Amino acid sequence: MAGQNERSNYIRSFLRGGLGQVDSVFQHSLNVAFDDELLHIGSIASGLSVFGITLANGEIEPLLAAVQVNDEVIFRQGQLTIYTRSRMFRYPLDKFGEKDLRIPRMIVDHNRLTQLTALANEMQISADIGLSQENYHVVKQGLTAPMRTDVSHTIDFMIGRGKGLTPSGDDMLVGYLSVLQAFQHPANAMFTAPLRAKVNQQATTRVSRNYITALLDGYVSADILALLQALTDNIPANELAKRMHTVLTMGHTSGHDTIMGMVLAAHMILGGNENGK
């Protein structure tokens, strides 16, 4: 059983023991809150969250059927225990397989970045993002020319903008900065301090703050990491489109927004924004 389960290596940075409670329950997953930090529990099929664990097929369903918001959760000595009204669920996280979700350091591959932008245009990803075209134009100007614009203003405009648990502006920032981090682009440092300050001011949702904090610490969810890795020639070229399609399944518009952020980073690195449609 446990051999099929996975945990993100990032959760070691905050999950040290203590009392929490179920924060939110969805169709295929749930979030547990330990103060302001979240632990995401989902199925293997839904992908591993940067601050999460996945349960093997058949394990998540009984939990989701029983759990309710505010149910008590305890993490002690490597074991996560969830107390629902009908039964208790125990998960030995210390026996889960650990997956490294650190953003890798990569060498810029201009061909792959060009392929990313071409595929995004072909898939018409920009048509399904969560921002209006007017707002997207403002974002595009700020992200494709960060050396010539006020980065703090761009962050203020983007953070928390859009609907959902992870607003579209936040998802674009995660996609954008994950690429800049991977390629060690100097513009990445311009975003770090002002973005962390906005997160500390609780300028967006709790779920989104957790994703952005993980990003600033150098970690992303498994599906985004796989797409980043496909931006180098170490991965077969035909994998890029497949991994883009996987990311597109994230949330209502989150996958589209994340990829558009990555595309804007690609345009900035490639030296132009004329194709950032």
Side-chain angles (χ1 to χ4, degrees), residues 71-261:
D71 282 349
E72 186 177 272
V73 182
I74 294 178
F75 181 69
R76 182 179 293 126
Q77 296 180 339
Q79 182 163 270
L80 185 76
T81 306
I82 302 175
Y83 297 89
T84 74
R85 286 153 180 78
S86 60
R87 56 174 289 197
M88 181 172 56
F89 294 83
R90 284 198 177 103
Y91 303 103
L93 300 195
D94 54 347
K95 292 183 170 60
F96 280 31
E98 185 172 84
K99 189 173 181 66
D100 187 354
L101 297 182
R102 286 174 296 184
I103 297 172
R105 298 173 70 87
M106 307 190 309
I107 298 174
V108 174
D109 185 325
H110 288 78
N111 290 333
R112 285 296 172 89
L113 292 179
T114 300
Q115 185 184 1
L116 172 72
T117 62
L119 285 169
N121 286 336
E122 182 182 318
M123 296 176 186
Q124 299 183 326
I125 290 176
S126 64
D128 293 314
I129 60 175
L131 296 180
S132 68
Q133 288 303 305
E134 180 181 359
N135 285 338
Y136 173 64
H137 181 70
V138 175
V139 168
K140 172 186 164 185
Q141 285 187 314
L143 295 188
T144 54
M147 306 294 188
R148 300 194 301 273
T149 57
D150 184 341
V151 166
S152 293
H153 175 75
T154 299
I155 291 172
D156 287 344
F157 184 84
M158 295 180 70
I159 199 80
R161 186 171 295 273
K163 299 178 181 179
L165 289 172
T166 57
S168 297
D170 300 9
D171 288 328
M172 284 191 185
L173 281 169
V174 169
Y176 178 81
L177 292 174
S178 68
V179 173
L180 297 195
Q181 279 194 41
F183 293 129
Q184 305 109 68
H185 195 282
N188 180 65
M190 300 169 61
F191 286 83
T192 303
L195 183 54
R196 197 177 288 278
K198 293 298 289 186
V199 170
N200 291 339
Q201 294 166 14
Q202 300 189 348
T204 187
T205 67
R206 175 152 62 173
V207 173
S208 200
R209 293 198 302 271
N210 276 258
Y211 279 116
I212 293 173
T213 298
L215 168 79
L216 292 171
D217 291 340
Y219 296 78
V220 288
S221 295
D223 290 339
I224 298 174
L225 176 64
L227 179 51
L228 282 174
Q229 291 168 334
L231 295 178
T232 73
D233 59 10
N234 294 328
I235 303 294
N238 62 357
E239 276 293 312
L240 181 56
K242 294 178 184 177
R243 297 184 185 193
M244 289 175 71
H245 282 294
T246 299
V247 171
L248 289 176
T249 65
M250 293 167 41
H252 182 58
T253 66
S254 288
H256 293 76
D257 298 325
T258 301
I259 290 179
M260 282 314 301

